[in-house]
Amino acid sequence: MSDQFKKEAAERAAEDVSSGMRLGIGTGSTAEFFVHALAKRVRDGLDVIGVPTSERTAKLATELGIRLATLDELPELDLTVDGADEMDAALNLIKGGGGALLREKIVAAASGQMIVIADASKQVEALGQFPLPIEVVPFGLEATKRAILGVLADLGLPQALELRGGAEKPFVTDGGHYILDARLQKINETEALANRLVAIPGVVEHGLFIKLATKAYVAGADGVKTVWPV
């Protein structure tokens, strides 16, 4: 049922898109349902231009006939629609399970609004059960890892970091970076962690999306609910 719920949330978000919009288009399984829903509206006459958050999304959107541009061409967007790996009551998010967190955050920050689409399993009381992706520069990886572990220790968090893909064949992002996944269980000081991580020179970005989402459509057995930050 999870895919059906994702599809329902995505289709509801597509209804919020109007002609003339400059649209950020997210990455991941839920976002792909949105791309299909958006493409259907485009075939029916909707006139929009999208900025994709990954090469994967760009390929799908192009195949489905959605007009695309870059963020350099459209540096200010009206709306971004994207999924989430976790979402708390304030609509703070963990994102990056698909490896596109850097571009997703750049696009979301350039948007006037961000709608999150998700199934109900993504709602949590506190972020952290889903591993937090931390995008890092390959150069000096061990030094960066030690600095991250120091931050986690200072904040009383588990010091559990894994290189995505493993040392033999690490996952490489569209930007040419690696991802360290931090298994933190429960993050009590979200903003403190976000600020400390991004201050580490080898850290490019992290998957904590704080105060970016303006609304969420969450689908479950009882239909699609609109969720506002509290």
Side-chain angles (χ1 to χ4, degrees), residues 17 19 23 25 35-50 61 64-67:
V17 180
S19 281
L23 192 65
I25 306 174
V35 176
H36 282 278
L38 180 66
K40 183 178 184 301
R41 293 204 59 204
V42 167
R43 290 193 296 271
D44 291 340
L46 182 73
D47 180 23
V48 295
I49 186 164
L64 294 176
I66 298 170
R67 190 161 55 107

Side-chain angles (χ1 to χ4, degrees), residues 141-160:
L141 177 63
E142 286 305 313
T144 300
K145 185 175 178 179
R146 286 172 65 91
I148 294 170
L149 290 171
V151 167
L152 300 181
D154 286 349
L155 295 176
L157 292 166
Q159 296 164 63

Side-chain angles (χ1 to χ4, degrees), residues 65-136:
I66 298 170
R67 190 161 55 107
L68 299 180
T70 68
L71 201 57
D72 289 327
E73 294 166 326
L74 295 177
E76 294 183 9
L77 304 177
D78 300 300
L79 171 67
T80 284
V81 178
D82 205 349
D85 297 304
E86 281 188 343
M87 174 177 64
D88 69 14
L91 295 193
N92 294 321
L93 317 171
I94 286 182
K95 288 181 52 56
L101 65 101
L102 176 60
R103 294 189 185 185
E104 287 174 335
K105 189 174 284 189
I106 292 172
V107 169
S111 303
Q113 298 182 70
M114 179 186 184
I115 295 176
V116 178
I117 47 177
D119 64 86
S121 70
K122 302 299 191 294
Q123 289 183 294
V124 296
E125 290 186 10
L127 301 177
Q129 281 291 320
F130 190 91
L132 175 66
I134 304 169
E135 190 162 341
V136 298

Side-chain angles (χ1 to χ4, degrees), residues 194-219:
N195 293 335
R196 291 283 301 275
L197 287 176
V198 83
I200 297 170
V203 172
V204 180
E205 193 49 86
H206 52 74
L208 290 170
F209 282 50
I210 299 173
K211 298 177 182 176
L212 285 172
T214 50
K215 179 171 66 174
Y217 289 125
V218 179

